[in-house]
Amino acid sequence: MSSSESNRQRSSSSTVESKPQCKALLFLAYQSLGFLFGDISLSPLYVYQSIFSGRLIHVQNEDAIFGAFSLIFWTLSVISLLKYAIFMLSADDNGEGGIVALYSHLCKNAKFCLLPNHQTSDEELSTYRKPGYSNRNIPPSYLKKFIEKHKSTKIVLLVFVLLGACMVICVGALMPAVSVLSSVEGLKIEAKIKNNNMVPFISCVLLVGLFVLQHRGSHAIAFMFPPIIILWLLSIFTIGIYNVIKWNPSIYRALSPYYIYKFFWVTGKGGWTNLGGVFLCVTGSEAMFTDLGYYKQAPVRAAFLSKNLSAVPISFYASIPDVLFWPVFALAALAAIVASQAVISSTYSIVQQCHAFECFPRVKAIQSRRWINGQTYIPEINWILMVISLAVTVGFGDTGRIVYAYGIACLIVSFVTTCLTLLVINLVWHQSLIVAMAFLLFFGSIEVLFLSSYCVKIPIGGWVPIVLSSLFMVVMYVWHYGSRKKYFFDMHNKVSMRGVLALGPSLGIVRVPGMGLIYTELASGVPASFTHFLTNLPAFYQVVVFVCVKTVLVPSVPHAERYLIGRIGPKSYRLYRCIVRHGYKDVYSHENDFENELVMSIAEFIQLEAEGCSGNLDGTADGRMAVVRTSGKFGTRLRMSESAGVEEGDSNNLPGALTVTSSKSPTLKKLHAMYEQESLELNTRRRIKFELLNTIYRDPLVKEELMELVEANRAGAAYVIGHSHVKAKWNSSFMKKFAINLYSFLRKNCRSPAVGLNIPQTCLIKVGMNYHV
């Protein structure tokens, strides 16, 4: 074949491969119109109402209206554009943003992370560092040394991150209630509703529908979002132009900061106490930093209010021409649902990330679209958010007090982000501490000023996020504390290699056909659960694989670098280790292909080890561990074929394949066949038959080991996990006993490890273990 023909083939294959990527990119671009713009386009519904409440509800002064508009404009300019567009956009972690991403970014550049199973090989991932990264000629940071030296400062940093994460969850619960309730309140104008309970009732119906639809995934309903948001933005823009022309064309004079001074001169102390309402105009800026359409929202109502001062409480709907009221009302309700969808999705994401860092109880994360990474659905969190949203909607009944709670949560999230960015500027960007402190003083002082005005609102609704975040904080930190204690107990009680080698190749037990996958949190050593199992039942499978599923400090791990394969002990022991590495945005789902990929990876490792090149692979670390999927021969060591039924030990007469006979007795084969026919779960799983290639092996022991691996795979795999009972030591302090007992309670009442790992229940073996920590 000529070089030109081969180039054309490579070009055509790359074109075929790029089509799914282009499709995903176009879908995300289309979808972002609904998710991102929806979140930032609802402030006209409640910003002015929140500013002119309480003491300012009777303020009917044009200077106050102009001053509020000036405050909104400059808050948008400073917070949305200057902070987020210029600084935060560059503080991403390989394209991922948010509080957990900032924390991960810091942990990769300093020893701040409290995850105990970190390995040197994790730093060799292609996504661990940004392209062009170099740590040469970097001056030492005193702040970095101080935090790394003191464990207490690491804990304080983690608690601070968890505070921001808890507030993000509160925003996910409060924002749907605020947006839906404020959109439905328009019925009080046109429909003349007298019953005060009718608006909350309608809002609750919409909220229930919103959360019930979440199980279908955002992909199923995302195509409806962009047209709704586009029409909504066009409508508020048109209404804004209408009000500017009709009521006050000079409204743009209020862009001068002079009107901020006049606002506080007119309103006095009441202006300060209601200052937090201004911050509501930037609550969506974390989703979309540079949206110029944001500037169209404030003039929509300011021009109207400057000549209709008595309409402040219902200003948005009062500014709509009568002919357009019902279409705009319908769009407002739909836009509120769309914006809520974006916030709910971000809440799923933050919970998933906290769970990956062992800071949240086990939950079931489900991907809504397999070919688009990062979009997940968590049923438990969905129903918790729905209950909280319904509770605050029914309990408060109006937008005012819910807005106070929502504003405090958003402000704390913004302040936590600012403080973490200070560390990023100093430790990641390697700027001086003076520059980092200047960033904190400028943006932090503005946010603290807004937050101080909300302090007087705590008794009248602002207590909600404080109480909710306190509950979430206790649960999250206790889970993290208990998980670390359990891990260190496993490390302290793991089996020494000297003890394993003393047992001999048979391990002092009966080795039966099959493959045993032992799940453990340890990335090295043999867990105590294995010997505990052998003590009670002195028999195990002929091939044993210790599987460790761990999180590394990257958003996503490329599939080719996900598996680390190694050997435990001599070859005759048939003990292997597989470390499955995931990023904090990855959703673990081996489905039906995990066993197949594991067999191929072990076969590749055996061959590479025999060829003497396992130490030269990219990413090889930790002694005899290797990233085998980076090998150019991966997937060619064994012959694969689809299997329609239960294996009987034949080779299906495949050319070039060696027959591997099963060591099962006819009785066991018959029982296995009957069991698979009765088990729906096993019948629906994909069956792959592996065959040994008819090639000449230099070392006959390699062929023997590969044949045993194939035979074990044919006999079936069993998944062994520890069923832990964690208790505090009798001499522990009261606080430690409380934390450990709460951790044990959470373990018993949350998702089991088998569910989180997608382990088939029909192949599951649980080993009871008592932990006294």
Side-chain angles (χ1 to χ4, degrees), residues 27-93:
F27 174 76
L28 284 175
Y30 176 81
Q31 190 180 21
S32 66
L33 292 174
F35 273 93
L36 302 183
F37 282 81
D39 190 21
I40 64 175
S41 61
L42 290 180
S43 61
L45 295 174
Y46 45 75
V47 168
Y48 273 96
Q49 180 180 348
S50 178
I51 296 174
F52 292 97
S53 60
R55 296 181 180 181
L56 301 188
I57 195 170
H58 299 297
V59 173
Q60 299 187 7
N61 188 296
E62 184 175 300
D63 289 340
I65 302 297
F66 276 39
F69 170 60
S70 186
L71 278 168
I72 292 172
F73 175 82
W74 288 106
T75 301
L76 284 165
S77 300
V78 173
I79 301 297
S80 290
L81 296 182
L82 185 58
K83 176 186 173 182
Y84 283 97
I86 296 178
F87 289 98
M88 302 307 303
L89 198 61
S90 302
D92 65 299
D93 182 23

Side-chain angles (χ1 to χ4, degrees), residues 461-538:
W463 57 268
V464 172
I466 297 175
V467 172
L468 291 176
S469 62
S470 299
L471 295 175
F472 284 123
M473 175 70 75
V474 170
V475 171
M476 293 167 74
Y477 186 75
V478 163
W479 185 266
H480 175 78
Y481 176 79
S483 298
R484 280 179 58 84
K485 289 293 183 182
K486 179 178 176 295
Y487 179 85
F488 290 128
F489 182 90
D490 283 333
M491 284 290 293
H492 181 72
N493 292 277
K494 67 181 181 180
V495 182
S496 64
M497 285 304 303
R498 181 179 299 177
V500 174
L501 295 176
L503 297 175
S506 65
L507 300 179
I509 59 175
V510 178
R511 303 295 286 266
V512 298
M515 179 182 295
L517 307 182
I518 303 174
Y519 280 79
T520 173
E521 295 178 1
L522 299 180
S524 61
V526 177
S529 59
F530 179 59
T531 56
H532 186 67
F533 179 90
L534 299 183
T535 303
N536 292 275
L537 183 64

Side-chain angles (χ1 to χ4, degrees), residues 14 67 161 206 244 323 344 351-352 420 423 437 446 657 666 702 704-705 747 750-751:
S14 62
V161 171
L206 292 176
V244 168
V323 179
I344 293 170
V351 169
Q352 175 194 344
L420 293 178
L423 297 176
M437 288 302 299
I446 295 175
V702 173
E704 179 184 346
E705 187 173 5
R747 283 184 61 89
C750 67
R751 298 272 188 175

Side-chain angles (χ1 to χ4, degrees), residues 517 592-600 685 713 717 719:
L517 307 182
N592 301 331
D593 294 329
F594 176 70
E595 293 178 24
N596 303 329
E597 292 186 355
L598 181 61
V599 171
M600 289 190 294
R685 298 178 68 196
N713 175 253
Y719 299 79

